[in-house]
Every structure is written in structure tokens, then in C-alpha cells.
Amino acid sequence: MCQDRAAPLFDGLRAAPPSEHTRWLTEPDEPALRELLHARYAGSYAYRFLHEPGGASRLWSAGALLSLGEFDAQGTLLWHTGLWCTPGRDSLDSGLSLALPSRRTAMDRAEHARLWNHLLERLAARVGFLHQQTSTLHLMAQRYASRFMRAVPVGLLVDYTEGETLVGVEGSGLPMQALAMTTVLAPPPPRRRFLPAGPWGEWLASLLAASGLPGTVELVPLERRPRVGGLGVRPLDWNASLRLERRELVASAGEGQGALALPSSRARVDLVHLSMGEPQRVAEATPVLLAAGYLPTGLRPRLDAPDDIVFQYLPAPERAREAVGRARLDGEAARALWSGWGERCARTS
């Protein structure tokens, strides 16, 4: 879906620069991107292949990444952002957004607004959502996402990256907590969403209310004796650079699905998606996931299917709560999301 939708979309976007001082990157620009990565991350960026010649070019040619940047008169890349496409999704991901330290760009706020108005209008013709995992090391990244990209907080990821050092940013070098944000490009029709009754369901309901997604929410009581045997997992995504795995909880084992193997044997960030579309599935699967060490950390809206609850494997809730407590947050919505999660995590502990 994403690949089919994004291929002509990417071609159409490449046809013209989206603003006065930006242009789309091509293969000759790869050395400039590597220089920017080194200046910002000092060689510590988790996507190691982007530090190597040909790393970004392979993504560009495959249609997996579309890169946008601002250059100065000497050809130095001052600012960069990327759109990532994963086949089979009704969304794109925003990432690889960084700026050269200690350099001012020629773009003002009005140009940034025009840039994203242009991009979001065209993206909405092909995909439903633009997702991003926004850094909580500094406030400007979050402020930019909400102000110019119209992104809203929908969750968090604990220890999203580790070992990265952002030059000039206080607190970098520690595992980074991420604020999950989503730009709703094409709202789905109003739908009924089922959430687990109790503190976690109330927190998730507050995220849905803040997201502006149309529909209603119903809290369903959890099964006291859930049936584990009828559940399986199906792979959604594997990010080898971050060792981040997303899997989907399904009704039973079958083609492309596996038995309920929890937790993941290879992931550092282990995420399991649970559909909000079936009340019995929510009632049965939620206690199974909680018992296995997974906690709700947010939601993932979908265009062509019911939305998902996102669970992360966090067997030590108190340690996770301490880790996310180091985050810096911008805006009332993000702070409410964070504090609400921390309160419920404390109860779990």
C-alpha cells in the first residue's frame, strides 16, 4: 500500500522544490548529508549505513526515503528532513530531521509553514498519516512538529535509541525517550474503538480524545481467565539499526503468523500492536500482554483497518518510569500524556 501509493507521490513531489530555500536531494548530495550527520552526531547515528558511501543513495533509488534539504552557497547542507516509506502501510514516517549546529538558515517561520502546507496537502492525497518518533532531548523538535507539521502526541517509546550523542545538546548520550506523534492527513470515518477498562484504558481514551480522531470509545472489562492458546503474533516491522520490532497480535496461528512467542528474542525495543476493533480480543489479550511484561505506551491510528493499541515490553516498570522522567516536553498535551503514563506505570510497579 505505502509503496504503491508513495511511488507516484514521491515522483510528483520531486518535480519541484517545495519552498524557496529547499530542494530534494539526489545522489551527488550524499557526501553533504554524511557531513551533516557527522557534525550533528559525531559518528554515533544509529543508522550506521548512512555514514557509508552509497547508504542514502540506495534508499533514494529504491523509493524508501525522500530527502529534503537547505544548502548554502558553498554547497553545505544546513538542514535536512526525510520521508520514509515502508511497503504495506497506509502511512509514511517522518525522520532523519537535523540541522547543522551553530549555523542559521535562510528559512524563516513563514517559509517553514509554506513548506509543510505544500507537503501535507500532497501527502494527504495518498496516505492517511505521517508518523514520527520525536526526540525528547530538546523542545524545539517537538515544537516544530506540532507547529508546522500539525502533529499531535499519541504515545511514547521508552529508550527508543541508545548510544547516540547529539553535538551541542545537553543530556545526549543516554538512551533517548521518544514522543510518538502523528499528523492526521486523511481522517478515517467515525468508528467505534474498544479499550481495556481501568487506568490504562482511561489513559488511552485521553489520547484518542486529544488526537481529534472521530468516533466513540467503549471500555471493556478484562477477562479474568484469558485464553492464551488462541493468540499468535504476526510481524509488522523490523528495524535492524535500532533493533526495534513491531508485531501484531492475531487471533490464532496460521500462514505468516506464529505462536504467541513473548517477548521477542531479538528486539531491544519490543512493540506489540493490539487492534481496538474487537472487544473480545481487547478483553482477552490485554491481561496476557500485561502478565508477559508489556505495558500500553500509546496508539497507532490506521486508515484501512481498526486503530491499534501499542504495547512495549517493559518488565521493570519503575526503571522505565525513571527513564522517561528524564525527558523534556513541550506543550500541555505532551506533558499530560507523559504524566498520565507515569501515574499508571507507578500503579503497575
Side-chain angles (χ1 to χ4, degrees):
M1 285 165 29
C2 171
Q3 195 172 52
D4 296 338
R5 291 167 171 170
L9 171 61
F10 280 8
D11 290 343
L13 287 175
R14 287 192 188 100
S19 74
E20 303 92 299
H21 293 96
T22 59
R23 65 174 174 83
W24 302 108
L25 274 63
T26 59
E27 186 174 350
D29 299 315
E30 191 182 61
L33 177 57
R34 291 201 305 271
E35 290 176 6
L36 175 57
L37 276 173
H38 183 75
R40 182 84 271 186
Y41 283 94
S44 67
Y45 193 57
Y47 292 80
R48 302 300 306 166
F49 61 89
L50 290 176
H51 295 281
E52 304 167 358
S57 294
R58 287 191 295 271
L59 295 175
W60 294 334
S61 62
L65 174 67
L66 186 62
S67 284
L68 178 68
E70 177 189 355
F71 293 81
D72 67 12
Q74 289 72 44
T76 300
L77 182 59
L78 304 176
W79 177 88
H80 175 276
T81 194
L83 299 174
W84 298 79
C85 172
T86 302
R89 291 191 185 167
D90 56 6
S91 61
L92 296 176
D93 288 279
S94 169
L96 195 50
S97 299
L98 60 160
L100 192 65
S102 305
R103 286 288 302 273
R104 294 184 63 86
T105 74
M107 297 178 66
D108 58 15
R109 292 183 180 181
E111 184 175 352
H112 281 284
R114 290 193 297 274
L115 165 71
W116 284 105
N117 286 340
H118 172 92
L119 293 179
L120 297 179
E121 179 181 348
R122 282 152 184 80
L123 293 176
R126 295 284 180 173
V127 293
F129 306 96
L130 181 63
H131 303 305
Q132 59 182 298
Q133 314 303 337
T134 312
S135 172
T136 60
L137 288 174
H138 54 97
L139 304 180
M140 290 306 297
Q142 303 162 50
R143 195 168 301 165
Y144 188 94
S146 59
R147 177 179 295 170
F148 297 113
M149 302 174 69
R150 303 197 290 272
V152 295
V154 293
L156 56 89
L157 286 181
V158 181
D159 293 351
Y160 178 63
T161 66
E162 63 178 4
E164 290 186 341
T165 298
L166 278 162
V167 174
V169 176
E170 182 181 355
S172 65
L174 296 171
M176 188 196 83
Q177 317 310 312
L179 177 66
M181 303 185 77
T182 289
T183 302
V184 180
L185 300 168
R191 55 177 60 151
R192 195 177 181 188
R193 298 174 176 89
F194 299 96
L195 298 174
W200 286 116
E202 294 165 2
W203 177 71
L204 292 164
S206 72
L207 301 188
L208 280 168
S211 73
L213 291 168
T216 59
V217 169
E218 182 176 330
L219 299 177
V220 296
L222 302 184
E223 291 284 351
R224 294 185 178 182
R225 296 181 180 179
R227 296 176 301 164
V228 180
L231 298 173
V233 287
R234 178 167 52 202
L236 287 177
D237 186 35
W238 167 246
N239 185 320
S241 296
L242 299 178
R243 289 176 51 219
L244 181 152
E245 183 168 27
R246 291 183 186 270
R247 294 175 293 167
E248 179 181 22
L249 206 64
V250 293
S252 61
E255 184 177 354
Q257 302 165 196
L260 191 59
L262 299 174
S264 169
S265 61
R266 62 176 179 171
R268 185 184 60 81
V269 181
D270 180 1
L271 306 174
V272 172
H273 287 219
L274 172 62
S275 172
M276 302 179 198
E278 300 177 27
Q280 190 61 32
R281 180 82 55 81
V282 172
E284 290 186 347
T286 299
V288 171
L289 289 168
L290 292 173
Y294 290 79
L295 296 180
T297 54
L299 56 92
R300 176 61 67 98
R302 300 176 68 177
L303 186 63
D304 302 327
D307 306 309
D308 291 341
I309 305 170
V310 180
F311 288 77
Q312 184 174 351
Y313 181 59
L314 297 169
E318 187 57 39
R319 195 213 67 82
R321 185 165 171 256
E322 180 183 352
V324 301
R326 294 191 292 265
R328 300 178 63 196
L329 299 165
D330 179 70
E332 182 179 344
R335 287 190 287 270
L337 181 156
W338 223 259
S339 63
W341 188 85
E343 291 168 4
R344 285 148 183 85
C345 191
R347 297 188 203 178
T348 303
S349 301

